[in-house]
């Protein structure tokens, strides 16, 4: 029996890895042609945001020459599976539901309290939030003290911060947010926080990177 597992390592972080697909391949012995028959059960988790359904299906192949590489066997199984997948009924999505280890869920409120949550979850200083929002630090402090109203452009940036948080929440454990923001190498040797604060479209880059790292 051969067991194959596909792991997702978000941004190369092995401690955050999770299994997103697996296959169990069982040798069923010789067939009439002198080759070997194999029965394989395959599973992949779903990702609704990318319109990827979860699937559970099985295939059987024959005529395999065991003298070939194991990769040839896996290729044979996958070729059979992909030709049948269109006729297979999608299984219910098996995405792991958020649990207590994912205590910091995507914020849904608005206003200064939301920024407090993000700052705490991300390990960001108020000065860094001000740069991300493109407002003066003193003005941000006055708004948080309810001394003035913040402009519409800054509110739009707050909405963008929320989207980034949701994207991060899908691929990273909350306890690793602060460490990840300041991890060198995730973006060509740059820290994610440098990308977010220094680049004109830095937050958009972070959002897209997190979305593409789902699979």
């Amino acid at each position: 029996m051969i067991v194959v597992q596909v792991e997702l390592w978000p941004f190369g972080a092995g401690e955050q890895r999770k299994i997103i697909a697996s296959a169990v391949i069982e040798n069923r012995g010789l067939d009439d042609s002198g080759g070997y028959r194999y029965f394989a059960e395959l599973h992949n988790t779903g990702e609704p945001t990318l319109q990827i359904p979860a699937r559970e299906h099985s295939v059987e192949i024959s005529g395999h020459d065991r003298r070939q590489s194991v990769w040839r066997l896996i290729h044979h199984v996958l070729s059979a599976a992909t030709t049948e997948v269109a006729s297979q009924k999608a299984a219910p999505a098996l995405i792991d539901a958020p649990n207590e280890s994912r205590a910091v869920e995507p914020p849904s409120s608005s206003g200064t309290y939301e920024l407090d949550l993000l700052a705490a979850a991300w390990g960001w200083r108020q000065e860094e939030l001000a740069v991300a929002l493109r407002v003066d630090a003193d003005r941000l402090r006055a708004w948080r003290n309810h001394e003035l109203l913040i402009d519409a452009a800054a509110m739009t940036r707050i909405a963008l911060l929320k989207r980034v948080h949701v994207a991060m929440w899908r691929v990273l454990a909350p306890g690793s947010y602060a460490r990840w923001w300041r991890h060198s190498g995730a973006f060509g040797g740059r820290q994610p926080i440098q990308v977010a604060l220094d680049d004109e479209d830095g937050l958009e880059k972070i959002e897209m990177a997190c979305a593409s790292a789902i699979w």
Side-chain angles (χ1 to χ4, degrees), residues 121-155:
W122 292 0
W124 278 29
R125 300 186 300 272
Q126 292 304 309
E127 293 78 6
E128 292 167 336
L129 282 176
V131 174
L133 296 177
R134 297 174 182 164
V135 299
D136 181 85
D138 290 336
R139 184 173 181 80
L140 175 60
R141 189 175 300 108
W143 175 63
R144 298 180 77 250
N145 291 334
H146 308 288
E147 297 172 1
L148 53 78
L149 295 176
I150 204 164
D151 59 37
M155 293 302 295

Side-chain angles (χ1 to χ4, degrees), residues 97-98 102-106 164-174 177:
R102 289 193 163 210
V104 186
E105 297 191 4
V164 169
H165 187 80
V166 171
M168 291 173 58
W169 179 76
R170 292 186 181 279
V171 295
L172 298 170
Y177 290 165

Side-chain angles (χ1 to χ4, degrees), residues 61-72:
I61 64 172
S62 60
H64 177 70
D65 185 349
R66 292 187 67 191
R67 294 172 296 182
Q68 295 176 323
S69 164
V70 67
W71 294 113
R72 179 62 180 172

Side-chain angles (χ1 to χ4, degrees), residues 21-203:
S22 62
V24 177
I25 307 172
E26 179 183 349
N27 186 337
R28 292 290 179 88
L30 286 167
D31 59 20
D32 294 338
S33 69
Y36 282 81
R37 293 186 302 114
Y38 288 86
F39 178 80
E41 294 182 344
L42 299 96
H43 161 74
N44 68 266
T45 58
E47 178 46 60
T49 61
L50 298 179
Q51 299 182 341
I52 298 174
R55 292 189 183 277
E56 297 272 2
H57 61 287
S58 59
V59 296
E60 187 168 354
I61 64 172
S62 60
H64 177 70
D65 185 349
R66 292 187 67 191
R67 294 172 296 182
Q68 295 176 323
S69 164
V70 67
W71 294 113
R72 179 62 180 172
L73 172 61
I74 294 172
H75 172 74
H76 199 170
V77 169
L78 293 179
S79 295
T82 52
T83 55
E84 292 186 9
V85 72
S87 62
Q88 295 292 329
K89 183 178 180 180
L94 297 177
I95 293 295
D96 291 336
N99 52 38
E100 292 182 0
S101 67
R102 289 193 163 210
V104 186
E105 297 191 4
S108 57
S109 59
S110 60
T112 59
Y113 178 66
E114 185 171 64
L115 286 184
D116 291 337
L117 290 177
L118 286 176
W122 292 0
W124 278 29
R125 300 186 300 272
Q126 292 304 309
E127 293 78 6
E128 292 167 336
L129 282 176
V131 174
L133 296 177
R134 297 174 182 164
V135 299
D136 181 85
D138 290 336
R139 184 173 181 80
L140 175 60
R141 189 175 300 108
W143 175 63
R144 298 180 77 250
N145 291 334
H146 308 288
E147 297 172 1
L148 53 78
L149 295 176
I150 204 164
D151 59 37
M155 293 302 295
T156 299
R157 298 286 291 178
I158 291 175
L160 177 56
L161 290 176
K162 286 178 56 179
R163 298 206 314 267
V164 169
H165 187 80
V166 171
M168 291 173 58
W169 179 76
R170 292 186 181 279
V171 295
L172 298 170
S176 68
Y177 290 165
R179 184 173 67 254
W180 178 81
W181 274 114
R182 301 177 195 280
H183 171 65
S184 297
F187 289 84
R190 303 170 68 198
Q191 296 176 354
I193 193 170
Q194 293 175 319
V195 175
L197 301 185
D198 296 345
D199 295 3
E200 181 69 20
D201 59 345
L203 288 173

